[in-house]
Amino acid sequence: MSDNDIFEMDSMCETDEFEGETDVGMIDEEVVYSEEFLPIYHSFEDGTTVAKAHLVEFNNKPDSLFFNDGVRRIDFILVYEDEDKKEFEKRHVFQRRKRRRENFEASLMKMGMELEATQSVTDEKLMFLKVHMPWDTLCTYAEVLHIKLPIQPNDLSSRPSPWRFFSFITKHFYPNEDLITKEAEFFTAPFEKKRLEYFHMRDKDVFFTAAMRSRMAYYILSRAPFEIRGSIKKFGVTKLLDAGVYKAAYPLHDCRFNVKSREEGCPNERYLLYEEWAHPKSFYKMQPLNLIRKYYGEKVGIYFAWLGFYTRMLALAAVVGLCCFIYGYTTQETSTWSKEVCDPEIGGKIVMCPQCDRECQYWMLNSTCEASKKLCIFDNFGTLVFAVFMSVWVTLFLEFWKRYQAELEYTWDTVEFLEQEELPRPEYEAKCIYERKNPVTGVKEKVPFTACGQCVRVSIGIGTVFFWILLIIASIVAIIVYRLAAFFAFSAKLRTQDLKELEPIKEYVTPQMATSVTASLISFVIIMILNILYERVAVWITDFELPRTKTDYENSLTMKMFLFQFVNYYSSCFYIAFAKGKAVGYPGDPAYILGKYRNEECDPGGCLIELTTQLSIIMGGKAILNNVQEVLLPWVKNLIFRYCASATSEKLIPRWEQDYQLQALTKLGLFYEYLEMVIQFGFVTLFVASFPLAPVLALVNNVFEIRVDAWKIHTQFRRIVPEKAQDIGAWQPILQGIAILAVATNAMIIAFTSDMIPRLVYYWSFSLYPYGDHSNNTMQGYINSSLSIFNIEDFSNNSKPMWTPYNITTCRYRDFRNPPGHPRQYQYNVYYWHVIAAKMAFIIVVEHIVYLTKFILSYVIPDVPYTVKEQIKREKYLTQVILHETNLKLVTRRLKPLDDGTLTCPEVNLTQEEMELDF
């Protein structure tokens, strides 16, 4: 291990937080500088000397990616304000920041980096520090980070595409190959500095890609110390950014997104990605994933790969869902039960019981005629088929994604990423003050807290999460109370008064619909407010728990956020689907909530239309609000920033300053993109039986989402620090859990929320139990059979309507109970028990069939394609042969056979190169 490695490792596992504006000690160790770069020295009154970077003038090359010498490439940019130009009353604060910055820069140069400072073109107080990693430093940290690089071209023949015969058509849906050429495939191996000659290196300057260089630079920036007091070291550019020592830290884009760079040798990858990926005109094209990965890193690449694959799979679900919707729309006029509701001789003569106490009046069944027709669009036999299809679709989606992900893992060299030891986060290292014995290696290592302390932190985190979940439940209860009060008010007004302003839409506006729409809007507002508040809490809790690695941190935050979002977004839908109208009693003995509010009932056609309304408002509102937050706000901020800048022409502003004017993407930027899509995935799968158009809306949203996210990241934000990622992380088991839950929820929606099972029981029961007047397999008479009779004389004083028509003695209500005068009046009749039995049988049968189908599909479809397995084995073999055959040759040379057949190991004068290879 080199001296740089030792220095970097020594900075790990030391203590503690950055302390506001307290004075800092200086680095008292000798600083070693590169011969190519002679820094300016700054001496302090205490005799300590640190290095400063050269201050150079801008070379009038706005697209330059190099130092002023035109040779050394810029790998990272640090931005700060020059304290010498600040006002006097704050000079002492700025001087302390200056000391910290100079200490930090001296550490960077000691760790092998080269620096160059230049003044801003638009603001004389603003300084840009350019960071360059020399070749030796790159090689050292490429080995530390286990970066895989090419060793030999891929000599395995790839399987021809089944679409090759239609290439004259499909080529229009792929990026232009004249702009984005297909890269050659190589077998790769973890880089080893001592075996450099075995790696496939055509050009030393591009051997490490810009993304690799930026990743290694950020690794050093995150661990370079800026203060040493005895054995305590404080380090990391993140703390300096938080303390205001630096204003920004970012890698450079290689050019403007819409204009090619004129600099010689510039790859113009940003321009190519904009033209073939981020530009709205390319919305129909496949994504250039390899170039996205090369430019932004594997973590961004895997997100867009997953989003694109999910969108393509949604196309099939959207087609089937649209067919189901069209079937329901065309049959709504011919549906027997909706015609009976609308028939003046049937629905027009059925008097329904009031649905609230005292103020509510009797109403006619045909007043819900339009709502009944709309319900038939979603509540039909096609919905049953579609729900089963979606249960199978979600399994196919997850299984095929695993295969596609395995291909990407191999192509992008992340197969063994998580198997390698992932390095701790700098925030974790800074807190290490306790020692413990590693149970695997047996070596003592430092940890930030004891087992008891870790238990306390996790317990506090769990308790906080449950507190916020209880807060959501409290908000749902409040919305339920609102629904009861609103339904009471709408029932009293809409059915007793002739409101002229509502005359054009009066037949469409029922108390149930008005209550559902307003409650859904209020629920959506509360959901978004709680989201904003909880996001801050979840990040604080995860920071407090202090996970060891970045993967642990993201997984912990993912589970907290999704658990909250799951309850927040879906709780109102679960209430409508499985609670509303299920325990309402009957008019003579209604059920009450909190002993005061009468439990609300469903429309005579069921609660399915209300569930559809809730889903439509939440899905649509969420998509609109997310686009405003993610696209419109950054765009407006950038416009304001550029307007306030004093420069008159963008052509005169250097590349690093153009990027500084863009927005900074937070470290959790992709996390929220995943969260948005996974929540949408839940809506598409969990409640699809009530809303067949959900996949269609999701497909339309995602087609724009891909390009909007690409445009946003590519044009409105600074370049993201590249990160490696093997897969989509904790989102994978979450998606699998949603897929399993979706089977149960859709089966229960069909059984308990829709009227599917009661209709089927009625349809097939004519020979055994003639519930209605039909004598054959028809739905004639179903409405009359599904409504029970109540004698208005049996109303209690608390629930009896204030006004009763003189010509009625009974009213009807939605239930299966015995009529008045029956020996067991108002108790459940035999039809009710047959329906309950049919519902339970339906759930059990459907769940077992679907789960069995999912299990078979999971078993039949392998997670890793056979061709990928072959390539992985071939790559491991080549790594063994090419990179480690030197040792075998060396041993063979040492062991020479004697005449008697024995072996001897004579002294061999080894060269320095052979000794280095002997490990």
Side-chain angles (χ1 to χ4, degrees):
M1 183 174 290
S2 68
D3 292 337
N4 283 335
D5 289 328
I6 296 172
F7 181 88
E8 182 269 336
M9 293 302 178
D10 285 343
S11 67
M12 297 181 181
C13 294
E14 302 295 347
T15 106
D16 61 20
E17 292 285 352
F18 192 89
E19 300 171 1
E21 296 296 338
T22 58
D23 217 338
V24 297
M26 307 308 299
I27 297 178
D28 53 7
E29 300 172 277
E30 182 181 359
V31 181
V32 181
Y33 305 102
S34 168
E35 293 181 358
E36 302 176 22
F37 182 72
L38 298 177
I40 298 174
Y41 294 95
H42 181 87
S43 299
F44 293 94
E45 294 178 359
D46 60 0
T48 307
T49 302
V50 298
K52 285 190 65 176
H54 275 301
L55 179 61
V56 299
E57 295 294 333
F58 172 45
N59 59 11
N60 292 324
K61 293 183 178 180
D63 287 330
S64 176
L65 303 175
F66 296 88
F67 279 25
N68 258 27
D69 57 14
V71 177
R72 290 171 291 176
R73 179 179 294 274
I74 300 172
D75 296 316
F76 226 86
I77 290 291
L78 300 175
V79 186
Y80 64 92
E81 287 186 338
D82 190 354
E83 289 81 5
D84 295 334
K85 296 182 173 62
K86 292 293 183 179
E87 59 270 22
F88 177 76
E89 60 270 16
K90 295 183 179 179
R91 184 66 59 83
H92 64 288
V93 176
F94 298 131
Q95 287 299 327
R96 285 196 292 269
R97 291 181 180 175
K98 183 177 181 180
R99 291 182 183 180
R100 296 166 185 161
R101 187 176 65 253
E102 289 175 339
N103 291 345
F104 183 71
E105 292 169 6
S107 296
L108 293 179
M109 287 190 282
K110 181 173 182 178
M111 297 172 75
M113 286 186 162
E114 297 177 357
L115 311 177
E116 182 180 84
T118 185
Q119 193 175 48
S120 169
V121 176
T122 60
D123 186 351
E124 63 177 9
K125 294 181 290 186
L126 207 60
M127 303 295 296
F128 292 87
L129 185 67
K130 294 174 268 187
V131 178
H132 169 74
M133 295 185 68
W135 173 255
D136 288 341
T137 306
L138 287 171
C139 291
T140 298
Y141 284 94
E143 191 168 353
V144 170
L145 295 177
H146 306 285
I147 291 178
K148 300 183 76 173
L149 291 164
I151 54 175
Q152 178 179 306
N154 190 334
D155 56 2
L156 294 180
S157 58
S158 58
R159 188 169 51 187
S161 171
W163 303 103
R164 64 187 183 278
F165 301 110
F166 304 96
S167 59
F168 64 96
I169 298 176
T170 58
K171 69 178 182 180
H172 299 290
F173 296 94
Y174 285 85
N176 188 345
E177 293 184 358
D178 296 332
L179 295 177
I180 302 178
T181 58
K182 186 176 180 181
E183 296 184 359
E185 295 183 5
F186 287 88
F187 292 115
T188 60
F191 181 77
E192 294 183 29
K193 191 175 181 180
K194 297 176 181 179
R195 291 166 172 76
L196 181 61
E197 67 273 14
Y198 293 107
F199 286 89
H200 190 277
M201 182 170 57
R202 290 171 296 182
D203 188 348
K204 184 177 178 180
D205 293 334
V206 296
F207 182 58
F208 297 103
T209 65
M212 293 177 185
R213 299 173 69 105
S214 298
R215 182 181 164 214
M216 289 185 277
Y218 187 73
Y219 178 84
I220 297 176
L221 290 169
S222 300
R223 287 161 173 80
F226 58 84
E227 178 184 0
I228 300 177
R229 290 180 178 176
S231 61
I232 298 176
K233 294 179 182 178
K234 298 181 181 179
F235 52 85
V237 70
T238 304
K239 291 184 178 180
L240 296 177
L241 288 169
D242 294 339
V245 176
Y246 289 104
K247 296 178 68 66
Y250 51 90
L252 286 180
H253 285 294
D254 62 3
C255 65
R256 281 177 283 176
F257 68 86
N258 56 352
V259 179
K260 273 189 175 183
S261 173
R262 296 181 180 179
E263 293 293 322
E264 184 178 356
C266 179
N268 286 298
E269 290 173 347
R270 189 187 187 195
Y271 173 77
L272 297 178
L273 282 173
Y274 178 73
E275 289 294 316
E276 296 298 313
W277 177 52
H279 198 288
K281 71 178 182 182
S282 302
F283 75 95
Y284 62 92
K285 291 185 177 182
M286 302 292 286
Q287 302 181 86
L289 293 176
N290 288 327
L291 186 57
I292 296 171
R293 171 251 181 172
K294 181 181 177 183
Y295 193 77
Y296 285 113
E298 288 78 8
K299 191 168 187 177
V300 174
I302 200 74
Y303 164 72
F304 281 103
W306 176 81
L307 182 56
F309 184 83
Y310 170 46
T311 303
R312 293 196 298 273
M313 289 293 291
L314 270 177
L316 176 61
V319 170
V320 179
L322 186 61
C323 293
C324 179
F325 174 81
I326 293 173
Y327 169 78
Y329 186 83
T330 55
T331 59
Q332 63 173 328
E333 298 292 341
T334 59
S335 172
T336 303
W337 51 88
S338 64
K339 288 196 296 185
E340 289 186 351
V341 170
C342 299
D343 191 342
E345 298 299 321
I346 301 176
K349 293 184 178 181
I350 296 178
V351 179
M352 301 297 295
C353 298
Q355 293 183 308
C356 63
D357 296 334
R358 303 295 293 169
E359 295 291 337
C360 293
Q361 302 298 324
Y362 299 95
W363 52 286
M364 305 306 296
L365 179 61
N366 65 349
S367 65
T368 62
C369 174
E370 292 300 323
S372 178
K373 290 181 180 179
K374 298 300 179 289
L375 178 64
C376 291
I377 298 176
F378 303 102
D379 191 4
N380 55 68
F381 297 114
T383 304
L384 171 60
V385 176
F386 184 58
V388 175
F389 166 81
M390 285 300 295
S391 299
V392 176
W393 172 88
V394 73
T395 302
L396 292 174
F397 164 67
L398 292 176
E399 292 303 317
F400 284 129
W401 164 247
K402 290 178 185 177
R403 291 173 59 85
Y404 186 49
Q405 185 173 253
E407 295 177 8
L408 292 176
E409 286 177 13
Y410 171 74
T411 306
W412 293 354
D413 299 322
T414 60
V415 173
E416 298 178 351
F417 172 62
L418 293 181
E419 294 178 6
Q420 302 165 356
E421 183 180 358
E422 190 175 0
L423 297 171
R425 297 187 307 131
E427 295 85 354
Y428 179 91
E429 297 169 351
K431 294 283 189 178
C432 292
I433 57 176
Y434 299 99
E435 284 191 351
R436 74 166 185 181
K437 185 177 180 180
N438 190 306
V440 177
T441 63
V443 179
K444 286 187 177 181
E445 62 182 10
K446 289 190 175 182
V447 294
F449 33 71
T450 62
C452 181
Q454 183 178 10
C455 182
V456 170
R457 288 171 178 259
V458 173
S459 299
I460 292 175
I462 294 174
T464 306
V465 172
F466 275 106
F467 168 78
W468 279 85
I469 290 177
L470 291 176
L471 190 62
I472 298 174
I473 296 174
S475 69
I476 296 300
V477 173
I479 293 174
I480 292 174
V481 173
Y482 164 80
R483 296 175 70 99
L484 299 177
F487 179 77
F488 178 87
F490 287 131
S491 296
K493 290 182 177 296
L494 295 179
R495 283 176 176 153
T496 59
Q497 301 179 15
D498 290 330
L499 301 178
K500 294 182 179 180
E501 60 271 19
L502 292 179
E503 193 64 35
I505 59 173
K506 188 175 180 181
E507 60 179 351
Y508 301 99
V509 180
T510 63
Q512 290 89 348
M513 181 59 67
T515 302
S516 178
V517 171
T518 56
S520 297
L521 291 173
I522 295 173
S523 177
F524 173 72
V525 172
I526 293 176
I527 285 172
M528 300 314 296
I529 292 174
L530 289 177
N531 274 346
I532 294 172
L533 297 176
Y534 181 75
E535 283 176 4
R536 300 172 182 266
V537 175
V539 173
W540 175 82
I541 294 172
T542 310
D543 290 339
F544 179 73
E545 291 178 354
L546 203 63
R548 181 176 182 271
T549 64
K550 188 173 181 63
T551 300
D552 294 338
Y553 181 91
E554 292 180 351
N555 290 346
S556 178
L557 181 61
T558 297
M559 295 307 297
K560 290 182 180 67
M561 285 296 297
F562 180 75
L563 182 61
F564 176 84
Q565 298 274 26
F566 184 91
V567 179
N568 196 20
Y569 278 107
Y570 302 144
S571 55
S572 58
C573 297
F574 275 103
Y575 164 74
I576 296 174
F578 306 123
K580 183 181 177 183
K582 301 301 184 292
V584 296
Y586 62 96
D589 185 22
Y592 291 89
I593 295 179
L594 303 178
K596 178 180 179 181
Y597 299 98
R598 180 170 169 175
N599 204 351
E600 62 177 329
E601 302 178 22
C602 293
D603 188 87
C607 288
L608 198 67
I609 193 68
E610 293 188 45
L611 180 58
T612 303
T613 303
Q614 179 84 1
L615 289 170
S616 302
I617 291 176
I618 294 179
M619 284 188 68
K622 185 174 180 295
I624 294 172
L625 190 61
N626 283 336
N627 285 327
V628 170
Q629 289 179 330
E630 297 175 4
V631 179
L632 187 60
L633 291 182
W635 180 70
V636 171
K637 288 179 181 179
N638 287 335
L639 281 181
I640 296 174
F641 195 97
R642 285 193 290 267
Y643 178 79
C644 295
S646 58
T648 58
S649 174
E650 189 181 36
K651 294 181 180 179
L652 301 178
I653 302 177
R655 173 81 267 135
W656 48 85
E657 195 160 349
Q658 292 179 41
D659 286 3
Y660 178 68
Q661 294 176 357
L662 300 176
Q663 295 296 304
L665 189 68
T666 64
K667 62 181 180 180
L668 296 176
L670 281 183
F671 169 81
Y672 294 114
E673 301 295 342
Y674 273 117
L675 182 62
E676 177 187 352
M677 289 296 101
V678 171
I679 293 296
Q680 181 205 87
F681 180 80
F683 283 121
V684 169
T685 55
L686 291 175
F687 305 100
V688 74
S690 66
F691 192 32
L693 285 180
V696 179
L697 297 182
L699 175 64
V700 174
N701 175 79
N702 288 7
V703 169
F704 289 99
E705 181 76 20
I706 293 174
R707 306 304 162 175
V708 165
D709 285 348
W711 178 85
K712 172 188 66 177
I713 290 176
H714 208 58
T715 67
Q716 303 302 307
F717 287 89
R718 299 168 190 158
R719 189 170 181 175
I720 302 170
V721 179
E723 296 181 50
K724 288 193 79 73
Q726 186 181 31
D727 48 36
I728 61 176
W731 300 112
Q732 185 81 24
I734 287 175
L735 292 174
Q736 292 172 341
I738 292 176
I740 294 172
L741 182 61
V743 178
T745 56
N746 284 297
M748 293 176 68
I749 286 173
I750 293 174
F752 294 107
T753 309
S754 76
D755 252 11
M756 187 75 62
I757 303 303
R759 291 170 188 165
L760 290 174
V761 172
Y762 182 84
Y763 184 80
W764 293 104
S765 62
F766 72 97
S767 59
L768 297 177
Y769 296 95
Y771 298 120
D773 297 331
H774 66 313
S775 57
N776 50 26
N777 292 87
T778 66
M779 294 303 298
Q780 188 176 7
Y782 170 75
I783 289 297
N784 184 65
S785 176
S786 63
L787 298 176
S788 298
I789 303 173
F790 180 77
N791 190 337
I792 63 175
E793 298 295 332
D794 295 332
F795 272 118
S796 64
N797 292 330
N798 293 331
S799 59
K800 186 175 183 179
M802 299 177 62
W803 179 80
T804 302
Y806 66 91
N807 58 343
I808 65 170
T809 58
T810 61
C811 60
R812 309 295 291 272
Y813 60 99
R814 177 184 169 83
D815 212 339
F816 304 112
R817 295 178 182 268
N818 293 316
H822 191 278
R824 302 179 61 196
Q825 66 176 3
Y826 304 136
Q827 294 186 21
Y828 291 120
N829 57 25
V830 67
Y831 188 13
Y832 170 82
W833 298 110
H834 288 170
V835 169
I836 290 296
K839 289 181 177 181
M840 300 307 297
F842 172 82
I843 292 175
I844 294 172
V845 171
V846 169
E847 284 187 353
H848 280 69
I849 292 175
V850 173
Y851 282 136
L852 178 61
T853 305
K854 289 166 69 71
F855 173 79
I856 294 174
L857 289 174
S858 300
Y859 180 78
V860 171
I861 302 174
D863 292 346
V864 182
Y866 178 74
T867 54
V868 174
K869 290 181 179 179
E870 284 185 331
Q871 291 175 336
I872 292 174
K873 291 178 181 179
R874 173 69 172 163
E875 186 172 274
K876 288 183 177 180
Y877 170 77
L878 289 175
T879 302
Q880 184 69 26
V881 171
I882 294 177
L883 296 185
H884 300 294
E885 66 181 0
T886 305
N887 283 347
L888 298 177
K889 291 180 180 179
L890 192 58
V891 170
T892 304
R893 287 175 55 188
R894 288 179 177 180
L895 299 177
K896 294 183 177 180
L898 297 179
D899 295 337
D900 58 359
T902 61
L903 295 176
T904 184
C905 183
E907 293 185 2
V908 179
N909 295 325
L910 300 178
T911 64
Q912 180 66 27
E913 180 181 1
E914 289 173 331
M915 293 178 65
E916 289 179 352
L917 291 175
D918 185 16
F919 64 95

